[in-house]
Every structure is written in C-alpha cells, then in structure tokens.
Amino acid sequence: MELLRLSKAAKRLGVHPVTLRLWADSGKIPVTWVGRERRFSSIDVEAMKVSTGGEGVRLEGLYVRVSGSHGGGNPCFRRRRRSCGPPRRARSSRSSVTGPVACGRTGPV
C-alpha cells in the first residue's frame, strides 16, 4: 500500500485537489495524516476511481442570461456603461461617419 500526497491522488482521480480535500473532510475517502500533510492510500484512491466510474465526478452548470424583448438587454449598458445622452461627437475633425452609440442610437462616431 502506497500513501499518496493530495495532488497525486487528485490527479489519479481526475479531480481538483480542493475537491479531494473536501471529500476527505466529509468522510467520502479515508485520509491518513503524516505530520501536517494528508495522505491517501492508493487502494482507497483506486476504489474511489472504480466507484466514480473511472473518472472524476463532473458537475457542470449552465448559465443562460435572458434579455428583454429588444434582444440586447438594456441598450444604455451595452458598452462601457455610458448613459443615454446626446450622440457622441466625432473623434477627429475629418471623421464624418455615423454609427451606433452606446445606447443604440446612431450619431457621429
């Protein structure tokens, strides 16, 4: 029986070391203390690998942001959180191109 350090045991299980530390704290996997370090039995690690299907447990989440009916959220906060004010002035005197402003209106760029 080999005693594995936290990082090596986590790598064998395919999980993050913090996850393995939490599992040890909750009693899901036995831990042996060597001084101030946690060590995990290679037998326990292999048993945990078999019980989790050979790879780490993956809990994936999905985040979806739902906007309003106009499709872009609040148009005043689209870029750099500018308020809806008068259209911006041209950056240089030779620029006369108009385009969208932060609030969605068109005006000089």
Side-chain angles (χ1 to χ4, degrees):
M1 174 183 81
E2 182 184 3
L3 289 178
L4 305 171
R5 290 178 182 247
L6 177 70
S7 59
K8 192 169 185 178
K11 193 173 283 192
R12 282 195 186 179
L13 287 170
V15 297
H16 195 275
V18 173
T19 302
L20 185 56
R21 188 179 298 126
L22 291 172
W23 287 352
D25 290 344
S26 67
K28 290 183 180 179
I29 186 168
V31 65
T32 303
W33 287 91
V34 176
R36 295 178 62 186
E37 291 186 3
R38 301 168 201 249
R39 301 286 172 97
F40 299 89
S41 162
S42 57
I43 297 169
D44 293 332
V45 170
E46 292 303 317
M48 179 67 106
K49 190 188 295 188
V50 169
S51 71
T52 60
E55 56 183 60
V57 177
R58 292 186 63 124
L59 299 175
E60 296 179 11
L62 177 65
Y63 173 77
V64 179
R65 182 177 178 183
V66 180
S67 299
S69 61
H70 57 286
N74 186 343
C76 295
F77 294 100
R78 224 176 258 158
R79 291 187 200 152
R80 297 188 194 162
R81 295 185 168 223
R82 290 193 182 115
S83 63
C84 285
R88 293 185 290 170
R89 298 218 181 266
R91 292 184 185 197
S92 68
S93 58
R94 52 196 167 123
S95 174
S96 62
V97 179
T98 61
V101 186
C103 67
R105 296 183 294 161
T106 59
V109 177

